[in-house]
Amino acid sequence: MKLISEILTLIFKKGFVKAGYNEKYGIVNLSNRLDLCQYQCNGCLSAAKIYKKSPIDIAHSVVKNIKPNSHFKEISVVKPGFINITLSDDFITDYINDMYKDDKLGCDNEKTPKTIIVDYGGANIAKPLHVGHLRSAIIGESIKRINRFKGHNVTSDVHLGDWGLQMGMVITELKERKPHLPYFDDNYDRHPSEPPLTIDELSDIYPTGSKKAKENTKVMDEARLATAKLQEGHKGYMALWKYIYDISIADLKKNYGKLNVQFDLWKGESDCQSCIPKVVDYLKQCGITEVSNGALIVPVELDTDKKPMPPFMVLKSDGAALYSTTDLTTIYQRIDEYNPDDIIYVVDKRQNLHFEQVFRCARKSNIAKDNLYLKFIGFGTMNGKDGKPFKTRDGGIMRLEDVIKILENGAREKLLAGNENYDNELIDDISIKVGLAALKYSDLSNQFTKDYVFDLERFTNFHGKTGPYIQYSIVRMKSILKKVDVSEWSNHTISNPQSETEMNIMLKLIEFNSTIDIAYRDYSPSKICDYAYEVSTLFNRFYHETRIISEDNKEFKSSWINLLSLGIKVLEKSLWLLGIDSLERM
Ligand code: ARG
C-alpha cells in the first residue's frame, strides 16, 4: 500500500505546481504535534526564500489550488507558513480496512529485491560465547528479519572465529593435561574411538590455556607453533580441531536456538583458508601490495583522511594470514557464491577500524565493485552497573548460557510472584520468552553505538517501556477476543472511530508501514520498539475506557473487536521483527 505521506505528497505537489511553484516543496510528513494536526507540509518556508514571497501567501495559494478531496477533514494555513492537514474519518477508516485485509499489514516489498548477506553472531569456537556476542546476535537477527520482511533475499552467516590462536592455546593446554592422546603425534594416523574432551572441559581449557600463554612466553610460543602446524594441516591437530569444532557447533546451535536466533550459514574463518593464496596472488597482481618489515601490506589511506589510517595487513612477516586476510577473502568468496548487493556486518564497534581497512582494500583491489554495498553496524559494549564490561562475580567473562539462565530465573520469580497457578512446563516456556523479551527489547531500543548497561532489575521490570509490557498487552487483547463469539467479528470491518482514543489508535496503526520503512532504511529497530510501545499504551487506554464485551450496539462492538484483532497482528509482527516471541498467556 502507498504510504499516507506519499498519497498526500502527490496531492500537494500538484497544488504547488498549479500555484506556480516547484513540486519539490510539496512534501508532506507526519506531524510531530498530533494535538495540532495529523500531517503537515512545511515546504512553503523554503519556497519563500527562492520565490522571494512570504511563506504564508504561498501557503494560501497552494491550498486554494488543491482540489476538494474526500481525504481531508481540514487543511489550514498557520503562521509563518505551515500547512496543517487533518484527514477525514472515512479516509482513515478505509486505509485501516485495506491494511487489515493485507497480508503484510500495508507494508510493501521493495520493488527490486536485493541479495543481502548479514554477518552477525561471530561466535568463536572453543571460547565461550560472551555477552558481547549477545548484542551482535540480537541486533543482527532483527536487521535480518526487517530486511526479509521488505522482500529481500537475505542470507545470515554466523561467521565463526574458528581458526585463530585460540585453537593453538587449546591444543597446547590439552597436551599438558592429556599428553597420552594420539593427536599430538606427528605420525598420527588413527582416529581414537573415545572423545578427547567434553564441552565442559573445553570451557575450562581455553581460559586456562590463554591465561598461561599470556603469562608465559614459552607457552605462548608453543601455542603459536601449534596454530601454525594446524594451519599447515598437521593430521592429528586437524582431527582434534574437527572434534572441537563439532562439539562447539552443537553447543552454539543449542544456545543460539534458545535465543531464537537462526543462521542460514554456519561458515567461519576456516572456510576461506584454502582460498587465501588465490586472493593474495590476486592482490599482488593488482600491483597494490607492498612489503613492509617483511609483512605484505596494502596501503589504504586516502587524501581525505583526518586520522592516520594504518595499512591493510595481508600476511605477517612469517607468512601467516590474519583476521583481515580472512575477512577480505570471505568477501571474495561471498561474491563468488552469492553475488550479493549488500553485505551487512553487525560487530562490536571497536572493530570499526578493522572493517574500514577491509572495505577499503576490497574496493582498491576491485574485489568489491562499486555496486556492492558494504555496511558496518558497530555496537557499544555491554557494561555492568559499574560502567565496566560485564563480568561474572569472580571477574571472568559471563557466558551466554549463564546470561540466559539469569534472565529466565529473574522472569520466573517475577511471574510466580503474581500468579502461582502455572504448571511447570508452561512456566519454563513463559519465563524464557519473557526474559529474552526484556533483554532484546531493551537492547534494541537503545542507539546501537552507545555502551549499554546490563541491569537485571531493569530487565525484570514488566512495566513501562519494556518487552514484557508489550507481550502482556497482546495477552490482554487476546483475552478479550477469547470472550466473544467469533461470528460477531467475522465481517472483518472496522467502522469510523467513536472516541478520541480510538481515533488515536487508528492514526497510530496507519503509521505501521512508514515506521517499518524508517526502521529498515536507517537500520534502526528502535523505531519499531517505540512504535510497539505506543500502540500497546493506546490499546491499554482503549480497553479501560471502552466496555467492549458488554456493548449493545452490534456495529460498534464488531468494529472494536476487529480493531483489537488488527492491533494484535500489528504488535505481533512488530515483536517478530525484533526477534521477540509473543505469548498466548502470561
Ligand atoms: N569472531 C569475532 C569476535 O569474536 C567476530 C566476527 C565478526 N565478523 C567478521 N566478519 N569479522 O570478535
Side-chain angles (χ1 to χ4, degrees):
M1 280 167 67
K2 248 204 184 92
L3 304 183
I4 300 219
S5 55
E6 283 171 0
I7 299 175
L8 302 182
T9 297
L10 227 62
I11 296 174
F12 271 72
K13 279 188 167 171
K14 283 193 190 137
F16 272 85
V17 171
K18 275 185 111 184
Y21 306 105
N22 191 308
E23 64 163 28
K24 71 175 183 201
Y25 299 109
I27 299 201
V28 175
N29 287 313
L30 191 73
S31 152
N32 42 20
R33 288 285 308 272
L34 271 185
D35 50 326
L36 297 179
C37 64
Q38 298 161 348
Y39 287 82
Q40 60 194 164
C41 172
N42 302 335
C44 303
L45 294 138
S46 342
K49 291 185 196 117
I50 304 297
Y51 292 97
K52 311 239 173 324
K53 284 188 186 167
S54 82
I56 200 121
D57 288 345
I58 300 181
H60 278 298
S61 69
V62 168
V63 171
K64 237 184 262 156
N65 277 290
I66 287 178
K67 278 212 210 110
N69 191 314
S70 61
H71 292 2
F72 306 113
K73 186 185 269 171
E74 198 189 342
I75 303 180
S76 59
V77 172
V78 289
K79 277 184 195 156
F82 299 118
I83 307 177
N84 287 353
I85 303 158
T86 304
L87 299 170
S88 73
D89 291 8
D90 283 347
F91 176 77
I92 295 173
T93 310
D94 286 348
Y95 197 87
I96 281 272
N97 279 304
D98 287 345
M99 172 180 173
Y100 191 25
K101 274 183 235 130
D102 181 25
D103 282 347
K104 296 194 68 165
L105 302 165
C107 299
D108 285 348
N109 282 355
E110 280 295 289
K111 284 192 191 72
T112 17
K114 291 192 283 188
T115 298
I116 299 176
I117 294 177
V118 189
D119 178 320
Y120 67 106
N124 299 316
I125 290 290
K127 295 195 213 175
L129 218 57
H130 60 75
V131 282
H133 294 113
L134 192 58
R135 291 211 75 187
S136 175
I138 293 172
I139 299 169
E141 181 70 17
S142 179
I143 302 274
K144 175 187 82 180
R145 291 182 185 210
I146 294 170
N147 276 278
R148 258 192 202 149
F149 187 59
K150 286 301 290 178
H152 296 303
N153 172 11
V154 187
T155 302
S156 54
D157 183 6
V158 65
H159 197 80
L160 298 169
D162 58 359
W163 201 243
L165 184 60
Q166 85 258 33
M167 300 309 302
M169 290 172 172
V170 169
I171 292 171
T172 309
E173 175 62 17
L174 187 66
K175 193 172 172 186
E176 170 92 17
R177 293 185 187 194
K178 304 185 183 181
H180 58 278
L181 286 176
Y183 299 94
F184 312 113
D185 193 343
D186 283 341
N187 303 313
Y188 171 90
D189 60 356
R190 68 183 172 98
H191 280 286
S193 53
E194 67 281 11
L197 76 173
T198 65
I199 188 82
D200 284 335
E201 278 177 281
L202 181 61
S203 58
D204 178 53
I205 284 179
Y206 171 73
T208 314
S210 139
K211 190 159 173 266
K212 282 189 192 165
K214 274 172 201 149
E215 283 165 0
N216 183 335
T217 43
K218 231 185 96 213
V219 181
M220 183 59 102
D221 288 344
E222 228 176 293
R224 288 222 166 89
L225 188 68
T227 312
K229 274 184 156 180
L230 169 73
Q231 298 188 346
E232 279 156 21
H234 181 284
K235 280 212 179 106
Y237 289 3
M238 280 301 282
L240 196 52
W241 175 82
K242 180 78 176 82
Y243 185 83
I244 294 173
Y245 179 87
D246 288 344
I247 57 169
S248 297
I249 293 258
D251 189 54
L252 287 171
K253 284 196 172 159
K254 186 181 83 191
N255 282 311
Y256 279 125
K258 277 193 195 155
L259 277 178
N260 200 2
V261 167
Q262 290 98 17
F263 297 101
D264 304 306
L265 302 178
W266 283 81
K267 296 208 175 203
E269 293 168 4
S270 66
D271 286 288
C272 68
Q273 296 309 311
S274 59
C275 186
I276 287 179
K278 195 166 153 191
V279 170
V280 173
D281 276 349
Y282 172 77
L283 293 177
K284 284 183 186 159
Q285 264 172 35
C286 292
I288 56 173
T289 53
E290 285 173 20
V291 177
S292 162
N293 294 327
L296 193 68
I297 60 159
V298 173
V300 288
E301 81 267 287
L302 299 170
D303 295 341
T304 45
D305 283 338
K306 300 222 162 58
K307 279 189 247 152
M309 173 59 65
F312 176 90
M313 295 282 288
V314 187
L315 296 174
K316 285 196 290 189
S317 52
D318 63 4
L322 301 102
Y323 187 44
S324 42
T325 332
T326 56
D327 264 320
L328 183 72
T329 308
T330 304
I331 295 182
Y332 183 93
Q333 287 181 312
R334 283 174 176 163
I335 294 172
D336 200 40
E337 262 178 74
Y338 300 93
N339 193 20
D341 299 285
D342 300 0
I343 306 178
I344 303 170
Y345 297 83
V346 184
V347 186
D348 190 314
K349 71 175 177 200
R350 287 171 292 186
Q351 296 193 23
N352 193 353
L353 178 65
H354 162 77
F355 280 99
E356 185 58 35
Q357 292 171 308
V358 171
F359 294 173
R360 285 189 185 194
C361 185
R363 298 260 183 242
K364 190 168 181 180
S365 59
N366 214 17
I367 287 178
K369 309 265 183 319
D370 286 346
N371 57 4
L372 171 65
Y373 179 63
L374 295 167
K375 168 84 181 167
F376 173 71
I377 299 178
F379 52 83
T381 315
M382 178 99 84
N383 288 327
K385 275 200 211 162
D386 56 0
K388 301 206 183 94
F390 191 66
K391 296 257 165 78
T392 55
R393 256 189 227 139
D394 55 19
I397 291 173
M398 184 69 88
R399 295 182 59 184
L400 188 55
E401 209 170 340
D402 304 329
V403 177
I404 299 175
K405 261 264 121 18
I406 292 178
L407 289 165
E408 190 180 342
N409 290 340
R412 185 195 317 266
E413 228 170 80
K414 206 59 179 237
L415 289 163
L416 286 176
N419 176 4
E420 281 105 51
N421 307 327
Y422 289 106
D423 64 57
N424 278 346
E425 218 168 285
L426 193 64
I427 186 77
D428 284 352
D429 182 57
I430 298 180
S431 353
I432 188 144
K433 286 181 176 156
V434 169
L436 286 177
L439 172 73
K440 290 184 178 184
Y441 187 91
S442 112
D443 199 335
L444 293 169
S445 50
N446 282 297
Q447 215 190 319
F448 296 152
T449 46
K450 281 204 192 124
D451 289 346
Y452 156 72
V453 177
F454 187 89
D455 175 358
L456 190 64
E457 270 152 51
R458 191 159 46 93
F459 292 156
T460 47
N461 174 7
F462 296 173
H463 304 288
K465 221 182 138 200
T466 65
Y469 170 75
I470 297 165
Q471 286 177 317
Y472 184 66
S473 304
I474 300 176
V475 170
R476 287 284 301 267
M477 288 157 78
K478 283 190 171 171
S479 76
I480 298 176
L481 292 192
K482 280 183 193 145
K483 287 190 198 134
V484 295
D485 179 1
V486 180
S487 67
E488 286 182 86
W489 52 295
S490 51
N491 63 356
H492 284 87
T493 345
I494 296 166
S495 321
N496 284 359
Q498 300 301 319
S499 67
E500 196 188 322
T501 306
E502 204 184 336
M503 175 53 119
N504 288 337
I505 288 183
M506 290 197 178
L507 283 171
K508 199 37 72 191
L509 291 179
I510 58 179
E511 271 176 46
F512 182 65
N513 51 12
S514 58
T515 305
I516 301 302
D517 279 3
I518 296 169
Y520 157 71
R521 194 194 56 208
D522 298 347
Y523 301 98
S524 70
S526 73
K527 297 287 183 319
I528 303 177
C529 293
D530 294 343
Y531 177 78
Y533 174 65
E534 286 158 17
V535 172
S536 300
T537 316
L538 284 167
F539 271 104
N540 277 320
R541 190 175 310 150
F542 179 60
Y543 55 65
H544 279 119
E545 285 173 6
T546 320
R547 290 169 177 272
I548 301 173
I549 297 172
S550 57
E551 173 61 45
D552 290 331
N553 182 318
K554 278 245 151 54
E555 190 199 328
F556 292 172
K557 184 169 174 177
S558 151
S559 168
W560 292 337
I561 291 169
N562 280 296
L563 191 63
L564 272 183
S565 147
L566 173 60
I568 293 169
K569 286 187 186 187
V570 165
L571 285 176
E572 286 191 332
K573 185 54 85 185
S574 301
L575 287 189
W576 182 84
L577 289 166
L578 300 171
I580 298 175
D581 286 315
S582 309
L583 295 163
E584 288 304 313
R585 61 166 285 196
M586 216 170 137

